[in-house]
Every structure is written in C-alpha cells, then in structure tokens.
C-alpha cells in the first residue's frame, strides 16, 4: 500500500514510518527541509510547507498515496488544507487527534464548571464546547502553527465531515517512549532522576497519587496507526488509543521503581508538594483515562510488548538523552526534605 505520512520526523512519526515499512508498505514522508529523525532506507521524501499543502500538489499526484496519515494537523485551517489537497488523490485519511477533545479536559483545567465526567472516557463521551483551549496560555511554541488556533475538536469535525475522502480519527493518550525530546512532557523522567539520585523517598500529594490519565507507549501508538491504515473498516470511525489497564500516578511510580530496582519509599502526604506533583489549581477529581474496547474489537489492536519492557526502553532512552539544563529547576530537594521530615 502507498502511504504518505505528514509529520514523519518528530516523536511519533518515525515509529509509524518504521512499522509501516516493516509491513511492506511503500512509505513517503512529507517534511520540512530538515528533520530530527533518520528515516529507514527506501522511504520517499517530499519537502514542503505543512501550511501550504497545495504547493506540493504535483508531488502528491506523483506519489498517489492510497492512505494519508497526518500526525501534525493542529488547526482547523490545516485540516481544511489536508482534505482539499488529497481530495481525488487519496482513498482515506488517518488523523492523529488527542484526548484533549473531551469535556473532561476542560473540567480538569477548570476552564468550565460542572460535575466530573465519568471515566474511562469512551468515544461517545461529551466533547468540549469551549474551543481553542490554549488561547491566552503560555505554551512553548512549535514551528508551523500558533497555539492560539490549536483545536483538535475542529480538526476532527473537518476530517469527519468531508464526503470526498473518508477519515479515521485516533485520539491519542499521553505518549511515552524513545524519541521524546520534550523535557516538559517526559513525566517519568522526573521520577527516574530522583531514583537515580538515590533519593530515599519520593514525595507525592494524595491528589496527584490518585490521579489517572491515559498512557501509551509510542510503539504501541504506532501499531494503532498501522491498523487504521491497513483496515478499511476504520473509515469513518473514531478510536481511543491507550493502554488497556490504566494506573494512577502512584501505580506508575511503583512500576518504574520495580524496573529500576529502586528500594526507597513513596511518601504520600495530604499537603501541597512541589513539582512533579500536579498543580493545586487543577481539578484532580476529574480523571482522564480512556476506554479502548472499540479499537481492540474493530481492528484487533493490542500492545506490542509488556509494560515492563516498555518502561525499560523508556528508562534507557531517558538516561541516554537527559533533558536540557533548564528543565532541572523542578528538582527542589530542599523543599521535599522539609515536608518529608514531618511526613512520618
């Protein structure tokens, strides 16, 4: 199958490309002039501007992709450009969306008021009514789009309402694993460093310890994309992607400790604690875990390796690629020790 991947050189994209190549697909990557990832042999490359897909129409026509995977559709305009560019060329579009489309996400961040949404969230759980969730929020910039215009709800609407090219939407979890270079998002690393620093205790406040989110190992997410590409049954469908058995954050730290061999204790206290504990202004009564029964039933999705092996690979990557120095500010051991001194 001829597959074109938009955004094949970031974090998730290279894993998707490698999995598709391994299954014998003919893969072309659309990228800017430079990219972080090395591509496997045999992968075609189209260099262009994600915000001006029409300028690459001739190259797209030459490739004639049967399926287009878009890992970098962040705005309504980008989604419109996507559907316009491949109308009459591609048979299907697979777009990577996010669990942030759910109303529960707004409740978590207290952007709206109301009762918590029941979890795990299904594909039919209520979506956000409030658009443009990051407007007015200081978010690290990403080249090629403005966070002011970011909204996966609008991306999904555009993709799923286009009669010319059937779309598939994959709502992704918090993705971890090799290739993630964003120190602000590598949440396991903040605990791994404490274990590697031989801390005798890791401090967690009760609200952080109990909170549940959807997680997914990056290679497993890539497997979900592969299945959506290959299976025509995915046309017109929306799927949650995440690990089957979710853990709260304390459970994740315990799993990490078992992998690393750390023998300290997790001290859970009922008071405000410094990062990496979650901010107190969040509504942590609202969990975000997602139900994944649909993709498992429809497409036969399952994890490609055990959680322990996934964490082992994640640990190896994090140790080999520590975040930049500016991300070390959150390691305030003096403040942690002051709380631990009376925590018992």
């Amino acid at each position: 199958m001829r597959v074109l991947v938009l955004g094949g050189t970031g974090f998730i994209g290279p894993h998707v490309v490698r999995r598709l190549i391994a299954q014998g697909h003919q893969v072309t990557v659309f990228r800017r002039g430079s990219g972080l990832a090395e591509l496997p042999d045999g992968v075609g490359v189209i260099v262009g501007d994600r915000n001006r897909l029409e300028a690459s129409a001739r190259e797209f026509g030459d490739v004639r992709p049967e399926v287009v995977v878009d890992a970098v559709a962040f705005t309504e305009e980008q989604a419109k450009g996507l559907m316009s560019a491949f109308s009459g060329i591609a048979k299907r579009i697979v777009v990577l969306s996010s669990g942030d489309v759910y109303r529960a996400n707004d409740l978590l961040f207290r952007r709206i008021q109301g009762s918590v949404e029941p979890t795990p969230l299904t594909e039919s759980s209520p979506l956000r009514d409030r658009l443009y969730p990051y407007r007015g929020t200081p978010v690290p910039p990403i080249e090629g789009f403005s966070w002011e215009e970011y909204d996966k709800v609008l991306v999904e609407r555009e993709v799923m309402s286009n009669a010319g090219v059937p779309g598939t939407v994959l709502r992704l979890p918090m993705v971890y694993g090799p290739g993630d270079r964003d120190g602000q998002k590598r949440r396991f690393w903040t605990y791994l460093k404490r274990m590697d620093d031989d801390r005798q205790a890791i401090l967690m406040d009760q609200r952080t310890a109990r909170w549940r989110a959807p997680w997914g190992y990056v290679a497993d997410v890539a497997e979900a994309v592969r299945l959506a590409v290959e299976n025509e049954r995915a046309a017109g469908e929306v799927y949650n992607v995440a690990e089957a058995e979710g853990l709260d954050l304390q459970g994740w730290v315990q799993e990490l400790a078992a992998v690393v061999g750390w023998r300290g204790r997790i001290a859970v206290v009922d008071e405000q604690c410094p990062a990496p504990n979650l901010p107190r202004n969040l509504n942590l009564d609202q969990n975000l875990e997602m139900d994944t029964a649909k993709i498992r039933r429809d497409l036969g999705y399952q994890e490609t390796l055990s959680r322990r092996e996934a964490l082992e690979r994640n640990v190896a990557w994090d140790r080999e690629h520590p975040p930049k120095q500016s991300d070390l500010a959150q390691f305030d051991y003096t403040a942690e020790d002051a709380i631990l001194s009376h925590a018992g």
Side-chain angles (χ1 to χ4, degrees), residues 59-82:
E59 290 92 335
F60 296 151
D62 291 342
V63 171
R64 294 180 297 112
E66 297 166 83
V67 179
V68 176
V69 176
D70 194 340
V72 287
F74 298 123
T75 70
E76 183 179 24
E77 284 303 308
Q78 288 178 332
K80 287 180 177 178
L82 169 72

Side-chain angles (χ1 to χ4, degrees), residues 323-343:
K324 57 184 180 293
Q325 189 67 27
S326 61
D327 293 323
L328 300 179
Q330 61 183 293
F331 295 94
D332 188 351
Y333 292 159
T334 300
E336 292 177 23
D337 288 340
I339 296 173
L340 287 167
S341 68
H342 61 262

Side-chain angles (χ1 to χ4, degrees), residues 188-235:
F188 294 154
W189 183 80
T190 61
Y191 296 107
L192 172 63
K193 186 175 189 304
R194 285 168 169 80
M195 295 175 187
D196 286 349
D197 286 347
D198 200 27
R199 297 283 294 167
Q200 296 304 299
I202 288 178
L203 187 65
M204 301 187 80
D205 67 59
Q206 289 184 2
R207 297 167 71 250
T208 295
R210 293 195 307 266
W211 189 66
R212 293 176 178 269
W215 290 88
Y217 182 63
V218 65
D220 294 335
V221 170
E223 172 69 0
V225 176
R226 178 190 72 82
L227 291 170
V229 166
E230 295 178 347
N231 199 325
E232 292 187 4
R233 182 177 182 179

